[in-house]
Amino acid sequence: MRELSFNLFEMNTVGHISHGMWRHPQNTRDRYTDLGFWQSNARLLEEGLFDAVFLADVIGAYDGYRGGPGTALREAVQIPNNDPLLVIPAMAAVTEHLGFVATFSTTYEPPFAFARRASTLDHLTKGRFGWNVVTSYLPGAARNFGLADELDHAQRYDRAHEYLEVLYKLWEGSWDDDAVVRDAEGGVYTDPAKVRAIDHVGEYFSVAGPHLSEPSPQRSPVIYQAGSSATGRAFAARHAEAVFVGGSSLEDFTSTIADIRFRAEEMGRGADAVRTLGSAVLIAGRTRAEAERKAEEYERLSSAEGYLAHAGGGSGIDLAAYPPETLVADIIASKGGAADAATSARYAPGHTVADALREVTRFDRGPFFALGTGDEIADQIEGWVQKTGIDGFNLRQFLTPGTVEDFVEFVVPALQKRGLYRTSYSPGTLRERMFEGSGPRLPQGHPGEAYRGGRGLGAAAIR
C-alpha cells in the first residue's frame, strides 16, 4: 500500500463538527479570530507531516431545527464563522510544505473574482493551494444572496460545471507561460501578444477576461470535491483530483470509491486520477485506558442539541418535529424529492425518528472510528484501506490543542512503521506531492488542460 493522505478537517469557527467540545476547559477554539491561533496550528501540522489543512465553510446558518437558528447560535454550530480564505496567507508564512484546501461555493458568487483570489493564494503559498468545490445546500445561504430558496440539485451542478469551465479558461488559457517577460530595458513587463481574453458566453455567466493574475505555480489549484449522489460522482469524475467520500459502512465506501474510479476511467482520465478521502474519528492515547477516558470525557461534553441542529440544517429534516415512531423514509418521501441522495443514504431502511435521533447524536459513528493506542489505531486504518481502497482521511478534531498532538505523537509513528505515512516532505507543489511523478499543472486528460495555451478559447491575443 502507498502512503496515505492525511488532512486536518478544520473550519474558521468555534464549533465545526464535534458539537459541545468548545466547553472543554483545555479547548482554545475561541481564539479562532487570532492569527496566532492559525499559525501555531499550521506549524504543528507541518511538524506532523500532514498533507494539508482542509477548511470547511458554510454561508448560511443551520436554521432547519426547531424552526430557526437559535439552537445553532447557542451551541456554536458553525456560527460564528469567518472566511476560510483569509487565514491561509498567515499559515503559509510560517510553513514551507503544508497544503491549504479551502471550501468555496460555485452557486452565489461570480467566477471572475474567485479566479483572482485563487491565483493570489496559489502565488502566496508557492503552489500549495487547493479548492474544495461545493454548490452549497443551506436554504438560508440562498436567502443571504437574494434568492427565495436554494437552486435545485441539478441546477446547482449545471451551474458548477460552467463555473469551472470559466475558471479553467482564465487560469489555463488566458496567459501563456512566458507572457511575463520583465524586460526593463525594452519597457515591457507583460507581452500583450501572449495574453488573451476568454470571451465566455454561457447559460449562467458572461466573462470577457483576460484573467488579472499572472500564471501561478499550479495555475489551477488542486480540485477537491465532496458529493456522493450520482450527480456528485459524475462531477467528481470529470473535475476532481481528490474527493471527500461519504457512507455509513465500509461496503458503502468500497462501492462509491470503485464507482468514482470507474467514472474517471470512462472520462479518459484514468482510475488513479482521483484520490479518495474519508472522515476519520481517531481517539488515541498512550494506553487504551487513557484513550477510553478521553472518549468518556468527549461523550460527557457532547451536545445532542448541537448535533441535531447540524443534522436538521444539512438534511432539511427537523427530527424534533415528528413523533419518535415516524419512519424517516416516509418523511423523505413526503418532501417530494427535496431531500438529496446523501440524506437518504444516511438513514437505514426501516429507521424511525427515534433511531435517527440516537444515531445523529453519537460522535463515534463509523465506519472510520478507532480508539486505542497508536498501534491499535494504525491496525484499524490499515484494515480500512485494504477493504475499501481509500487513499486517505480528513482527521476530525475534538480539542484544539489535543487531537492533532495525540495523532502526531501516537498514530503517526505507528503508520510510518507500516509504510503508510510519509517520513519527510518531498519538494514541489501540493499537486506534485499528491500525485508522485506529476508536474505542478493539471495533467493531460483533465478538462481544464484543454484550454492550455489558449486552445478552445477562440479569442485573439491582446494587441
Side-chain angles (χ1 to χ4, degrees):
M1 286 186 286
R2 63 183 179 183
E3 292 174 357
L4 299 172
S5 295
F6 269 91
N7 308 309
L8 180 66
F9 206 13
E10 254 290 7
M11 189 170 176
N12 194 352
T13 189
V14 177
H16 179 200
I17 50 176
S18 296
H19 302 304
M21 294 302 118
W22 63 270
R23 299 176 295 165
H24 194 288
Q26 295 174 12
N27 214 343
T28 62
R29 294 297 310 182
D30 60 312
R31 291 186 58 231
Y32 79 101
T33 58
D34 182 348
L35 283 181
F37 171 87
W38 295 102
Q39 290 182 320
S40 62
N41 287 343
R43 290 189 188 98
L44 175 62
L45 293 171
E46 182 147 284
E47 289 170 10
L49 302 174
F50 275 70
D51 276 61
V53 54
F54 188 109
L55 292 153
D57 192 32
V58 292
I59 47 179
Y62 284 85
D63 57 5
Y65 178 66
R66 298 195 187 279
T71 303
L73 284 161
R74 279 191 299 273
E75 300 287 341
V77 178
Q78 300 185 10
I79 186 172
N81 80 63
N82 288 338
D83 193 312
L85 299 174
L86 298 184
V87 296
I88 291 174
M91 291 190 284
V94 297
T95 56
E96 294 181 23
H97 306 286
L98 182 69
F100 307 98
V101 182
T103 300
F104 188 85
S105 174
T106 59
T107 300
Y108 300 117
E109 295 189 53
F112 186 79
F114 177 68
R116 183 171 64 159
R117 267 181 240 144
S119 292
T120 301
L121 288 170
D122 201 52
H123 277 298
L124 294 178
T125 63
K126 295 182 170 63
R128 293 184 279 153
F129 180 56
W131 171 32
N132 178 37
V133 183
V134 297
T135 63
S136 296
Y137 58 86
L138 292 176
R143 295 192 294 272
N144 289 337
F145 289 89
L147 301 177
D149 201 354
E150 61 184 337
L151 303 178
D152 68 49
H153 190 258
Q155 190 176 15
R156 292 202 307 270
Y157 272 99
D158 285 345
R159 180 183 173 97
H161 279 293
E162 187 179 337
Y163 199 102
L164 267 77
E165 181 185 349
V166 172
L167 292 175
Y168 296 147
K169 289 177 178 180
L170 292 167
W171 288 331
E172 299 290 336
S174 187
W175 290 58
D176 288 345
D177 290 338
D178 57 352
V180 176
V181 294
R182 300 186 185 92
D183 178 5
E185 186 174 335
V188 177
Y189 190 85
T190 299
D191 182 349
K194 296 181 178 181
V195 179
R196 60 191 63 82
I198 66 168
D199 293 334
H200 175 90
V201 179
E203 182 178 355
Y204 297 99
F205 305 108
S206 178
V207 180
H211 189 34
L212 296 179
S213 301
E214 66 178 88
S216 68
Q218 296 183 123
R219 291 268 198 155
S220 296
V222 179
I223 305 295
Y224 290 70
Q225 190 253 344
S228 295
S229 67
T231 306
R233 294 182 197 187
F235 187 90
R238 177 169 176 78
H239 299 285
E241 297 171 89
V243 59
F244 192 30
V245 184
S248 59
S249 67
L250 291 177
E251 292 73 23
D252 284 348
F253 278 87
T254 302
S255 173
T256 300
I257 290 167
D259 182 57
I260 289 171
R261 289 176 177 160
F262 173 77
R263 289 171 184 261
E265 187 83 58
E266 278 198 318
M267 292 291 300
R269 296 180 59 200
D272 293 330
V274 183
R275 288 180 69 79
T276 54
L277 304 167
S279 177
V281 181
L282 309 177
I283 303 176
R286 192 165 276 101
T287 65
R288 185 172 184 85
E290 181 180 285
E292 288 172 344
R293 284 195 297 273
K294 291 175 184 177
E296 289 168 2
E297 188 171 34
Y298 300 159
E299 186 172 10
R300 179 177 61 82
L301 289 171
S302 180
S303 167
E305 284 288 285
Y307 283 102
L308 287 167
H310 192 175
S315 68
I317 298 175
D318 183 354
L319 293 171
Y322 299 91
E325 68 277 7
T326 308
L327 289 173
V328 177
D330 290 345
I331 299 172
I332 293 172
S334 73
K335 290 181 169 291
D340 62 20
T343 298
S344 301
R346 188 177 299 146
Y347 303 106
H351 260 205
T352 65
V353 166
D355 296 327
L357 286 169
R358 283 192 296 270
E359 186 69 16
V360 163
T361 56
R362 289 176 53 202
F363 70 80
D364 59 347
R365 296 195 304 277
F368 299 135
F369 171 79
L371 177 151
T373 65
D375 280 317
E376 288 173 329
I377 290 174
D379 285 342
Q380 290 267 69
I381 292 171
E382 190 169 17
W384 298 337
V385 175
Q386 289 173 340
K387 289 176 181 175
T388 66
I390 200 163
D391 296 304
F393 301 91
N394 279 359
L395 177 65
R396 174 174 164 183
Q397 289 190 91
F398 288 94
L399 298 181
T400 313
T403 298
V404 174
E405 286 84 347
D406 288 345
F407 178 79
V408 172
E409 181 177 358
F410 303 123
V411 182
V412 166
L415 290 172
Q416 288 172 330
K417 284 190 299 184
R418 292 161 173 79
L420 294 174
Y421 199 96
R422 66 168 56 90
T423 55
S424 64
Y425 284 110
S426 57
T429 64
L430 177 59
R431 182 174 283 114
E432 288 171 290
R433 281 207 310 278
M434 287 178 59
F435 298 95
E436 188 177 351
S438 73
R441 304 281 297 279
L442 288 172
Q444 283 193 332
H446 191 282
E449 186 271 338
Y451 297 106
R452 191 167 296 162
R455 286 178 287 139
L457 290 186
I462 293 169
R463 299 294 177 186

